Amino acid sequence: MSTENEGDAVPSAPSAPSTPPVPPSSSAPAEGAHGGTGPAAPEPPRTPPPHATAHTPEAMPHHTPPHAPAHAPEVMPHHTPPVPPGTGWPPPPPPPPAGWGASYPPAPEPPRKRSGGLIATALVAALVAGGVGGGVGYWAAERNDSSSSSTTVAAGESPAGFKREPGTVAAVANKALPSVVTIEAKSGGSGGGAEGEGGTGTGFVYDKEGHILTNNHVVASAAEGGTLSATFSNGKKYDAEVVGRAQGYDVAVLKLKNAPSGLAPLALGNSDKVAVGDSTIAIGAPFGLSNTVTTGIVSAKNRPVASGDGTGSGGNSYMSALQTDASINPGNSGGPLLDARGAVIGINSAIQSAGSGGLGPSQAGSIGLGFAIPVNQAKSVADQLIKTGQPVYPVIGATVNMAEESGGARIAAQGEDGTPAVVPGGPAAKAGLKAGDVITKFGDRTIDSGPTLISEIWTHRPGDKVTLTFERDGRSSTVDVTLGERKGDSD
């Protein structure tokens, strides 16, 4: 067998040690192998195998001995036996003298048994892995410690150009709020209220001339000698006066005194095009909390609603209302009901209540049933009030029972104060209607009561021709009726 260094001449080294050198190992050699003193007694020598392999044993990672000696003995890891004299082992080359370091490679390490190499490799790998694992764990801990304060994003880090998309509630509200006012009404001592009494409601800018659209019942207490004021979302307050009001429609128009320039009227939508499920946004001052925004949907259309005017005088209003589940409370009255574009589709006017409660002593809160006057009707009434100061109502010229629900609107036996229930020469009389007839349909709308009939009539205008279905003596008949008119509110 041969090795890479076999047959090489090794020059004598000056000042060679008196003790024969021993093969180097991972453990320090015993200095007293031939009578010298040493830290520990040598173990019995191991007999080298008769046929030592010439192959280089597996190396430890990142280290490969360049010249492995021939006939290397097998050794256990981390243990080097002493070498007795006369064993015939070829001595390793002596350490080079000073100045010879460039001519000789470093002394080779003794070969290790394969199993020892594997064990040592595994041990070093484990140590390396442990070190890596510890390092990763430390790194992760450091990252976790520092990340606890870095995951919070300051508002200042938001993009400078951040804008809310058109159609979002925030965008609609932001645009509409400057055109919504909180109305404070105080009684002048007449009109059904004590002097100084009043309440809070809402309105919105109707045109650039300073007209404010709201509910009649918001201003009714101050309409006769009282005082009115309108406060904008920026806190600026203006005195106002009543231009006209319609008790039956529950609509009123105010005019700001010394109206500021640059007023921005809210855009008016088309309430006839509203669909159930459309998004709604209500703005108002519920329980006096100005500039409150709530959202919901249109939960129903053409809902017949009758409500009082708030003065206790017994005057009622009727509407074929838009129903919404947006939160509406006392103080929201007169405020706009907007669609997702920000266009007004109705005027918030009434709520269905389960009982008293809320912030007021006897005021009920929202249960998700709010009602708004359709803006198409409100606009028609407002234009009439601005033009003439008084409302105009379409009529059929007949008195119907407002309390009875008999599957229709029954024409009463007689009118108020003993007058005929069917006005002679009026639209109903011309169509052949009589006292006791039950009106079951008005146009394409089914009629189930007197309030439903009035609400539906008031969605039309004087002069409109409408097909009317009624029952008499168990038989159903259909007639056409041309609506008449009545100016002003009846006492």
Side-chain angles (χ1 to χ4, degrees):
M1 294 187 292
S2 66
T3 62
E4 184 178 347
N5 290 331
E6 188 173 359
D8 290 344
V10 180
S12 300
S15 302
S18 59
T19 304
V22 296
S25 70
S26 59
S27 300
E31 291 184 338
H34 296 283
T37 60
E43 293 184 7
R46 295 176 57 90
T47 303
H51 302 287
T53 178
H55 296 289
T56 303
E58 292 188 22
M60 294 295 288
H62 312 294
H63 175 73
T64 302
H67 301 287
H71 311 291
E74 293 187 79
V75 295
M76 295 299 291
H78 311 294
H79 176 72
T80 302
V83 180
T87 56
W89 288 12
W100 289 13
S103 302
Y104 288 92
E109 292 186 2
R112 307 251 178 116
K113 188 176 180 180
R114 178 176 294 271
S115 61
L118 290 175
I119 293 174
T121 302
L123 176 61
V124 173
L127 291 174
V128 172
V132 172
V136 171
Y138 176 79
W139 178 82
E142 285 293 297
R143 293 285 293 179
N144 287 338
D145 289 343
S146 62
S147 66
S148 62
S149 61
S150 65
T151 56
T152 300
V153 179
E157 296 180 23
S158 298
F162 174 75
K163 292 183 180 180
R164 291 173 177 84
E165 293 296 327
T168 62
V169 175
V172 170
N174 185 63
K175 184 177 180 181
L177 276 168
S179 300
V180 179
V181 297
T182 299
I183 297 173
E184 185 178 0
K186 291 185 178 180
S187 172
S190 60
E195 186 173 0
E197 288 184 350
T200 301
T202 307
F204 61 91
V205 177
Y206 184 69
D207 58 26
K208 294 183 179 181
E209 287 70 43
H211 289 109
I212 303 295
L213 192 56
T214 186
N215 284 146
N216 172 67
H217 74 260
V218 169
V219 303
S221 62
E224 302 295 336
T227 60
L228 290 164
S229 65
T231 303
F232 285 81
S233 60
N234 61 7
K236 293 185 178 180
K237 186 175 183 179
Y238 300 87
D239 291 335
E241 60 185 355
V242 176
V243 171
R245 59 194 187 99
Q247 175 183 293
Y249 294 121
D250 196 17
V251 172
V253 176
L254 309 182
K255 179 75 179 290
L256 297 177
K257 297 178 181 179
N258 301 316
S261 60
L263 289 175
L266 289 182
L268 305 183
N270 186 348
S271 52
D272 291 341
K273 300 297 184 180
V274 170
V276 173
D278 282 350
S279 297
T280 58
I281 301 170
I283 303 179
F287 299 105
L289 302 174
S290 301
N291 309 314
T292 296
V293 177
T294 57
T295 64
I297 62 169
V298 174
S299 52
K301 293 178 61 178
N302 303 315
R303 187 73 76 191
V305 174
S307 62
D309 63 3
T311 65
S313 63
N316 290 324
S317 60
Y318 303 92
M319 69 187 88
S320 184
L322 295 176
Q323 180 180 303
T324 180
D325 64 350
S327 183
I328 295 175
N329 289 286
N332 275 107
S333 292
L337 184 68
L338 309 174
D339 62 15
R341 303 170 301 161
V344 181
I345 57 174
I347 302 176
N348 300 316
S349 182
I351 61 173
Q352 178 68 47
S353 176
S356 63
L359 302 178
S362 61
Q363 293 176 307
S366 172
I367 59 171
L369 292 173
F371 304 99
I373 303 166
V375 73
N376 289 9
Q377 180 180 353
K379 181 181 184 303
S380 176
V381 175
D383 289 345
Q384 183 68 36
L385 292 176
I386 292 172
K387 182 179 180 180
T388 67
Q390 63 177 344
V392 175
Y393 298 92
V395 296
I396 63 171
T399 301
V400 297
N401 191 322
M402 301 299 287
E404 181 182 353
E405 293 187 6
S406 56
R410 184 181 297 276
I411 299 177
Q414 61 180 16
E416 294 181 7
D417 301 326
T419 60
V422 177
V423 178
K430 291 179 180 179
L433 295 173
K434 298 179 180 180
D437 290 346
V438 179
I439 300 172
T440 58
K441 224 172 175 186
F442 190 84
D444 58 357
R445 287 290 313 281
T446 299
I447 304 301
D448 59 4
S449 66
T452 301
L453 176 63
I454 301 302
S455 298
E456 190 59 31
I457 290 173
W458 285 356
T459 63
H460 292 74
R461 296 183 178 184
D464 288 351
K465 181 179 287 188
V466 183
T467 299
L468 186 149
T469 301
F470 68 97
E471 291 182 356
R472 179 188 300 167
D473 300 328
R475 295 194 317 176
S476 180
S477 301
T478 299
V479 294
D480 290 334
V481 176
T482 300
L483 300 178
E485 71 174 26
R486 185 193 80 204
K487 293 182 179 181
D489 288 306
S490 60
D491 296 330

